[in-house]
Amino acid sequence: MIDSAWQRLSQGQLNLLATCPPMFQRNYLEQLTLPISPEQTERVNWGNRFHLLMQQRELNLPIEPFLAEDPEMERSLTALIQAAPELFQDHSYTWRGAEHPRTLAYQGYLFTVIYDLLLLNPKSAQIIDWKTYLKPKNRAELAANWQTRLYLYVLAETSAYLPPEISLTYWFVQLPHQPQSLTFNYNLDQHQRTEQDLTRLLTQLNQWLEAYEQRKIPFPHRLDCQYDCPYYSFLLEGNQPTQSQNWQQLLSEIDEISLE
């Protein structure tokens, strides 16, 4: 049994910690989060309903109530099935799991990931993740995102699959754009780099937590924060975020929608 004293961290918290430590302090230690807009609330709700729809479908449970209430969701599901029939018609997988959770204990922290769909063969493991926003133009940013890195890392650490046998595919499903995908294949070098970067980030977090809790020293800005951090001006000036900062979108895309 894992000690309950272990601290839990999500990929969203890792992303924010890597992007802006002071904002991590503000959001997670001081609980000073801002309410999201009605538009963003609706987007989150739609994403949650879509995830539940796909879980129900995978479990062969009725999905008609979802589709009857939301014609857009029905169109999105139909378009996804047409774009990726292999996800739904290929019977070569020896195991399939929807909303499949895995937990990794690492250096005093617990990391829980929830795979929207996990497809297993004796020599391959494919993670599928449903995204309800538009496909990003910059593939490198998504590759560097801690969701991508942590999902692949945790599966390699909690299964018998070797890194080259593991892949992660994002499916961007919401219309009016036709469903599109991005696949990230894993390898041993990536696995080792993720472990090194995760160790470094957790070491920094432990140091900052100790300084904050014992001496009230705030989490520091990163050296390049002034140029690269989307929250730098807001934190420096102590003002409310402006429209141009696109604050709510930035925060909303830090965390991944998942059903727990």
Side-chain angles (χ1 to χ4, degrees), residues 181-204:
S181 65
L182 279 177
T183 296
F184 296 88
N185 295 310
Y186 206 33
N187 60 49
L188 183 57
D189 288 343
Q190 292 172 343
H191 190 72
Q192 292 173 340
R193 284 198 301 271
T194 294
E195 185 165 297
Q196 293 167 359
D197 291 345
L198 184 60
T199 298
R200 183 179 68 252
L201 196 58
L202 295 180
T203 299
Q204 291 176 331

Side-chain angles (χ1 to χ4, degrees), residues 32-156:
L32 296 177
T33 56
L34 293 175
I36 64 176
S37 68
E39 294 79 9
Q40 180 58 30
T41 298
E42 176 55 30
R43 190 166 78 87
V44 169
N45 289 339
W46 197 95
N48 281 335
R49 293 197 304 272
F50 185 85
H51 281 73
L52 184 56
L53 166 71
M54 299 306 292
Q55 181 183 25
Q56 293 275 104
R57 189 186 187 282
E58 190 66 29
L59 295 173
N60 292 318
L61 297 175
I63 61 173
E64 288 76 17
F66 292 91
L67 304 181
E69 292 178 3
D70 193 338
E72 180 189 358
M73 189 166 293
E74 182 175 14
R75 290 192 294 269
S76 295
L77 174 61
T78 300
L80 176 62
I81 294 173
Q82 292 174 348
E86 69 280 1
L87 294 180
F88 308 98
Q89 300 173 6
D90 189 343
H91 301 294
S92 64
Y93 302 108
T94 56
W95 188 87
R96 302 171 63 104
E99 297 296 327
H100 175 72
R102 283 180 178 253
T103 298
L104 174 68
Y106 186 74
Q107 295 198 359
Y109 293 90
L110 288 181
F111 298 95
T112 298
V113 300
I114 300 178
Y115 301 132
D116 293 342
L117 182 61
L118 184 60
L119 305 174
L120 302 181
N121 279 327
K123 286 297 182 179
S124 69
Q126 185 178 12
I127 304 164
I128 306 295
D129 194 82
W130 315 122
K131 292 296 185 192
T132 53
Y133 56 81
L134 295 182
K135 178 182 175 181
K137 295 181 180 179
N138 193 330
R139 178 187 174 93
E141 288 184 0
L142 192 54
N145 188 286
W146 270 106
Q147 183 187 357
T148 303
R149 304 184 73 184
L150 196 64
Y151 274 29
L152 292 165
Y153 181 82
V154 168
L155 187 55

Side-chain angles (χ1 to χ4, degrees), residues 205-224:
L205 175 59
N206 289 336
Q207 295 170 348
W208 295 335
L209 282 173
E210 181 180 1
Y212 176 81
E213 292 170 353
Q214 296 184 6
R215 302 188 297 278
K216 299 302 179 183
I217 298 175
F219 280 36
H221 283 284
R222 298 198 176 278
L223 295 178
D224 57 354

